[in-house]
């Protein structure tokens, strides 16, 4: 089985396993106690904090260990907003942030605060000037991920941090996806990360608050972790997290070159091997091991099951999954195809042979899914005076796009096709299909049920 979902979680690094096992015998006691066992636990905790701080590029007393990366984000945003509540309650986020950031933004908005969501381009990249335009007199905090979790695009953190610094606004950076590859440059104010993203154990997050940043921890606090992460520290897991971070950093430069070559191979060959595919994300500013593509006329969940049967574990941002019927917010913000989406994220140590086998398997997996979804369109197509109408009401992606593709040739150049759909994904996938196939997307309009999407045949 080839595990290609490192953006979700990286397998436990051997150094993490060794450190975890070794510290179980020494790190079980309360590090706040002065007796021998407590002092031993304190030594382990302090050493782990120093190692993690060195990897981040901060002072040890600026770094707190939390119970997860999500908890670090929630605590960091809430504390920074509370610390600057006299300034205002305006928060800036990018449209492609991790859900933990967006959920915090929703909570602020529900409490009466205001949110500005900065748009991204088709590669998933923010414009630093857009952050500058979003800044206001009541802006308390800005957030920006260092690299995107779905498409791998790396953001211009340094430039955005400089814009925020000039305005006196702190910037929180979600570094979960990138910290294992290197420190985050720039004058950021707060940083969060999660150990299971670099090969440490799950249940350990990092929250860094630079000295001088106004911060007021919310909720009940105690004396642990500077009052920012109450509760007994999981010292063996923390030690393993810090040890594995140091280990992967030592291997990062060489492994990044190797994984980038493998993902470049996937980026280049998938469109040649599989017709009607869009590779998404920035081709240059991206994480070494992540490549994401979307396949027209493919159910994303079905394709993932097909690849799983072939021995490959991949993930998807497709709207067609068992957990959601709406497109990925990242793909939607980028304006790219969402149906049949596959994210391949290679963990360190991925064998070249596994990548070659994936490239051999993928075409027949996509073909098999497309054949299963090949629905007849004779019962769904009618003619109006000015357009051909495809009734896809009640049908989920990618059926509306499949039916559109089958009938576009039945209208003359300049003619219209109206696709009736009540699937939210159609708002993203039909325009994306037009972009890929050189057809003109006219827009959408209300219909008796759902929406009518208008496409003009351009070629």
């Amino acid at each position: 089985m080839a595990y290609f979902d490192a953006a979700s979680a990286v397998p436990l690094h051997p150094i993490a396993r060794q450190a975890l096992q070794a510290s179980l015998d020494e790190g079980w006691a309360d590090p706040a106690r002065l007796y021998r066992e407590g002092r031993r636990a304190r030594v382990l905790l302090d050493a782990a904090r120093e190692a993690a701080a060195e990897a981040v590029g901060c002072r040890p007393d600026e770094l707190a260990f939390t119970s997860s990366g999500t908890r670090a984000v929630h605590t960091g945003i809430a504390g920074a907003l509370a610390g600057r509540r006299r300034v205002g309650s305006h928060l800036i986020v990018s449209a492609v942030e991790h859900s933990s950031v967006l959920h915090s933004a929703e909570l602020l908005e529900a409490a009466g605060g205001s949110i500005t969501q900065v748009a991204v381009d088709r590669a998933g990249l923010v414009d630093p000037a857009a952050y500058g335009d979003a800044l206001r007199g009541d802006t308390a905090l800005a957030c920006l991920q260092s690299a995107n979790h779905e498409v791998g695009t790396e953001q211009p953190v340094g430039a955005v941090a400089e814009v925020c610094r000039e305005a006196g606004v702190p910037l929180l950076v979600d570094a979960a996806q990138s910290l294992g590859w290197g420190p985050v440059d720039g004058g950021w104010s707060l940083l969060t990360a999660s150990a299971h993203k670099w090969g440490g154990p799950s249940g350990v997050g990092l929250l860094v608050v630079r000295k001088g940043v106004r911060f007021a921890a919310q909720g009940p606090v105690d004396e642990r972790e500077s009052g920012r992460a109450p509760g007994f520290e999981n010292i063996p897991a923390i030690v393993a997290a810090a040890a594995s971070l140091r280990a992967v950093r030592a291997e990062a430069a060489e492994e990044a070159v190797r994984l980038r070559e493998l993902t470049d191979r996937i980026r280049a060959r998938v469109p040649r091997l599989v017709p009607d595919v869009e590779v998404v994300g920035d081709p240059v500013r991206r994480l070494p091991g992540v490549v994401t593509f979307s396949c027209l006329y493919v159910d994303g969940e079905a394709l993932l099951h097909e690849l799983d049967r072939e021995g490959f574990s991949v993930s998807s941002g497709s709207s067609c999954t068992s957990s959601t019927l709406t497109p990925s917010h990242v793909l939607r913000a980028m304006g790219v195809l969402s149906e049949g989406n596959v994210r391949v994220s290679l963990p360190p140590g991925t064998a070249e042979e596994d990548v070659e086998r994936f490239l051999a398997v993928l075409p027949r997996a996509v073909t098999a899914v497309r054949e299963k979804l090949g629905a007849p369109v004779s019962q769904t197509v009618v003619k109006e005076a000015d357009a051909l109408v495809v009734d896809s009401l009640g049908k989920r992606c990618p059926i509306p796009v499949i039916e559109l593709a089958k009938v576009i040739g039945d209208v003359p150049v300049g003619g219209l096709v109206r696709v009736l759909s009540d699937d939210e994904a159609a708002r993203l996938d039909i325009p994306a299909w037009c972009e890929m196939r050189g057809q003109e997307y006219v827009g959408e309009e209300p219909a008796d049920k759902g929406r009518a999407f208008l496409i003009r045949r351009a070629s």
Side-chain angles (χ1 to χ4, degrees):
M1 192 76 180
Y3 179 76
F4 284 1
D5 194 21
S8 294
V10 175
L12 197 64
H13 193 283
I15 294 296
R17 187 182 303 276
Q18 294 173 13
L20 183 64
Q21 292 175 339
S23 58
L24 285 172
D25 291 333
E26 298 289 335
W28 54 268
D30 187 345
R33 302 306 176 198
L34 298 179
Y35 43 70
R36 181 183 296 107
E37 293 86 355
R39 294 197 304 271
R40 288 175 180 169
R42 169 57 61 182
V43 167
L44 289 175
L45 181 59
D46 289 347
R49 196 183 314 277
E50 290 177 5
E54 181 181 7
V56 171
C58 67
R59 294 170 36 159
D61 59 352
E62 294 174 329
L63 185 149
F65 293 107
T66 66
S67 58
S68 68
T70 295
R71 173 53 60 191
V73 167
H74 292 170
T75 301
I77 292 177
L81 289 172
R84 285 172 52 81
R85 59 184 175 274
R86 292 185 179 178
V87 173
S89 56
H90 175 234
L91 173 67
I92 302 172
V93 300
S94 84
V96 293
E97 293 299 312
H98 188 269
S99 59
S100 60
V101 173
L102 299 183
H103 291 161
S104 290
E106 291 169 0
L107 190 64
L108 172 66
E109 197 166 32
S114 57
I115 312 299
T116 296
Q117 216 174 77
V118 176
V120 297
D121 64 16
R122 196 170 174 83
L125 201 63
V126 302
D127 181 354
Y131 266 77
D133 294 340
L135 289 167
R136 306 186 328 206
D138 63 342
T139 301
L141 178 67
C143 298
L144 179 64
Q145 59 192 196
S146 56
N148 185 259
H149 50 288
E150 287 193 29
V151 300
T153 297
E154 294 181 320
Q155 300 292 356
V157 171
V160 172
E162 179 61 22
V163 169
C164 292
R165 186 192 66 77
E166 291 177 355
V169 173
L171 176 69
L172 182 148
V173 176
D174 171 15
Q177 290 295 336
S178 72
L179 192 60
W181 296 108
V184 179
D185 295 327
W188 48 266
S189 304
L190 301 96
L191 180 142
T192 63
S194 187
H196 74 276
K197 301 288 189 179
W198 66 68
S202 59
V204 179
L206 304 182
L207 170 60
V208 180
V209 182
R210 295 283 199 191
K211 291 297 181 183
V213 175
R214 290 186 174 276
F215 190 92
Q218 298 301 285
V221 298
D222 61 23
E223 71 280 3
R224 300 178 190 276
E225 298 302 307
S226 303
R228 293 169 185 164
F232 201 103
E233 298 95 341
N234 185 347
I235 293 177
I238 288 171
V239 170
S244 58
L245 181 56
R246 175 178 286 180
V248 298
R249 280 290 190 80
E251 305 159 354
E254 183 177 348
E255 189 63 14
V257 172
R258 199 181 70 84
L259 290 186
R260 196 172 294 278
E261 191 281 326
L262 293 177
T263 52
D264 283 344
R265 191 181 307 184
I266 297 172
R267 288 181 67 90
R269 287 173 56 184
V270 164
R272 297 201 300 262
L273 293 169
V274 182
D276 299 315
V277 163
E278 180 179 16
V279 180
V280 300
D282 196 285
V284 178
R285 295 180 60 103
R286 59 185 176 84
L287 293 170
V290 178
V291 56
T292 305
F293 54 89
S294 300
C295 307
L296 275 173
Y297 323 131
V298 168
D299 180 322
E301 186 177 23
L303 180 56
L304 263 58
H305 286 315
E306 196 73 29
L307 290 170
D308 183 56
R309 282 192 289 269
E310 294 282 358
F312 293 96
S313 301
V314 299
S315 62
S316 173
S318 172
S319 58
C320 301
T321 65
S322 58
S323 60
T324 178
L325 290 177
T326 58
S328 150
H329 73 277
V330 171
L331 301 179
R332 184 193 301 118
M334 293 168 61
V336 298
L337 186 70
S338 72
E339 67 185 55
N341 179 261
V342 174
R343 179 186 68 185
V344 174
S345 48
L346 307 178
T350 297
E352 180 181 359
E353 295 77 14
D354 286 338
V355 171
E356 286 297 325
R357 188 165 63 87
F358 174 79
L359 291 169
V361 163
L362 181 66
R364 66 172 179 265
V366 173
T367 298
V369 174
R370 283 174 173 167
E371 287 178 349
K372 293 175 184 176
L373 293 173
V377 299
S378 57
Q379 297 178 356
T380 63
V381 178
V382 298
K383 288 188 177 180
E384 290 183 348
D386 61 344
L388 195 65
V389 179
V390 177
D391 184 355
S392 291
L393 294 169
K395 299 177 181 178
R396 298 300 176 188
C397 72
I399 297 301
V401 182
I402 291 176
E403 295 183 339
L404 167 60
K406 288 184 176 181
V407 303
I408 192 71
D410 296 342
V411 300
V413 174
L416 287 174
V417 177
R418 298 177 77 243
V419 179
L420 303 178
S421 177
D422 51 4
D423 183 6
E424 179 66 23
R427 283 184 165 168
L428 181 61
D429 290 347
I430 290 177
W433 179 89
C434 292
E435 177 79 17
M436 292 176 66
R437 302 309 295 268
Q439 306 299 339
E440 179 187 353
Y441 178 65
V442 178
E444 64 176 276
E445 60 186 23
D448 292 339
K449 294 182 179 179
R451 308 287 293 177
F453 299 89
L454 277 66
I455 302 92
R456 190 184 309 279
R457 183 179 175 188
S459 60

